[in-house]
Amino acid sequence: AQTVTQSQPEMSVQEAETVTLSCTYDTSENNYYLFWYKQPPSRQMILVIRQEAYKQQNATENRFSVNFQKAAKSFSLKISDSQLGDTAMYFCAFYNTNAGKSTFGDGTTLTVKP
Amino acid sequence: NAGVMQNPRHLVRRRGQEARLRCSPVKGHSHVYWYRQLPEEGLKFMVYLQKENIIDESGMPKERFSAEFPKEGPSILRIQQVVRGDSAAYFCASSPDRQFTPLHFGNGTRLTVT
């Protein structure tokens, strides 16, 4: 079974600054994907970024980037130039392609302060 | 293209009543997943269905909960004789096949048991 751990229940950052959210996972699988989802107060689940396990290059989407350390089973999310609209709960998720299902961490509540 | 549609958005039930949550996947998607989110927690996998078949129900409580995804119509998550502990947000997600990522999420149904 896979587990996903987000060790930071809450974080805050000043607008325009950079923040890093941590995520570690445990699996014996080789073929998997990792995701970060954002859940604003509207409760909608919004995909932020995706990383294929077989790719060594870290994924980047505009102000969002990841630090994927496969050997350490670490998948942190860096948000640069934080904006007020980034305030949300962020979930790290592991997708097992063999089982066809995702396992989510318990989330990190991020508050961006003006 | 319409995304994953869940209804109702909010559902209030008294203890002992039945709750029926509906999920219409993205058109053409034959794989549906149900997740439950308790307050201040992450999403917990409940069940994975593919048209007319339950593929993985390892996250479903053994009693009172059932799910179906008929050949025609939406997927239904049914909770019989609801209790207060069933109060949560229930999310549905879909994909065209188990190798496809990421999942497309609906906006969830918030169930409140009074």
Side-chain angles (χ1 to χ4, degrees):
Chain A
Q2 286 77 40
T3 59
V4 177
T5 302
Q6 293 180 246
S7 59
Q8 306 149 314
E10 296 181 359
M11 292 193 72
S12 64
V13 63
Q14 290 296 134
E15 194 176 8
E17 293 188 348
T18 295
V19 64
T20 298
L21 310 183
S22 66
C23 173
T24 58
Y25 60 95
D26 189 23
T27 185
S28 57
E29 300 285 337
N30 275 322
N31 188 20
Y32 56 88
Y33 291 80
L34 295 161
F35 302 91
W36 279 96
Y37 285 91
K38 169 184 176 181
Q39 189 179 44
S42 66
R43 215 174 63 217
Q44 184 183 5
M45 291 291 287
I46 302 168
L47 176 69
V48 174
I49 200 164
R50 169 176 63 181
Q51 176 79 44
E52 293 89 339
Y54 61 86
K55 287 188 178 179
Q56 293 185 338
Q57 187 174 4
N58 289 323
T60 299
E61 287 288 342
N62 300 315
R63 297 182 296 107
F64 299 88
S65 61
V66 299
N67 183 2
F68 174 45
Q69 301 291 328
K70 190 172 184 179
K73 294 179 182 167
S74 171
F75 183 61
S76 61
L77 174 70
K78 185 171 83 171
I79 306 174
S80 305
D81 186 25
S82 297
Q83 300 177 0
L84 296 178
D86 295 334
T87 292
M89 196 155 188
Y90 287 80
F91 292 100
C92 178
F94 174 101
Y95 182 77
N96 183 336
T97 52
N98 288 330
K101 67 182 184 184
S102 294
T103 302
F104 286 79
D106 285 339
T108 296
T109 300
L110 175 66
T111 302
V112 180
K113 299 179 178 178
Chain B
N1 283 334
V4 177
M5 303 300 292
Q6 287 188 251
N7 66 81
R9 187 97 163 105
H10 301 276
L11 181 62
V12 179
R13 285 287 178 267
R14 292 181 179 163
R15 278 181 298 172
Q17 291 185 321
E18 178 180 287
R20 280 182 175 248
L21 288 64
R22 295 175 184 77
C23 168
S24 296
V26 173
K27 188 176 181 181
H29 286 194
S30 58
H31 297 244
V32 164
Y33 307 78
W34 285 94
Y35 289 83
R36 176 165 64 175
Q37 184 179 29
L38 295 171
E40 307 304 321
E41 292 188 12
L43 277 69
K44 304 298 183 189
F45 169 80
M46 299 183 74
V47 63
Y48 165 29
L49 309 105
Q50 187 182 357
K51 278 290 185 181
E52 300 185 271
N53 294 306
I54 296 175
I55 306 300
D56 182 345
E57 57 181 348
S58 59
M60 286 275 274
K62 296 292 182 223
E63 299 178 349
R64 302 187 298 107
F65 285 72
S66 62
E68 63 176 10
F69 187 19
K71 188 176 180 180
E72 301 291 337
S75 175
I76 305 289
L77 179 66
R78 181 182 177 204
I79 311 172
Q80 295 178 289
Q81 299 175 322
V82 295
V83 301
R84 287 214 172 117
D86 297 333
S87 295
Y90 292 83
F91 286 88
C92 172
S94 74
S95 71
D97 62 63
R98 68 163 41 170
Q99 297 295 325
F100 185 86
T101 64
L103 298 177
H104 295 253
F105 278 91
N107 287 336
T109 293
R110 181 174 294 281
L111 171 66
T112 302
V113 179
T114 60

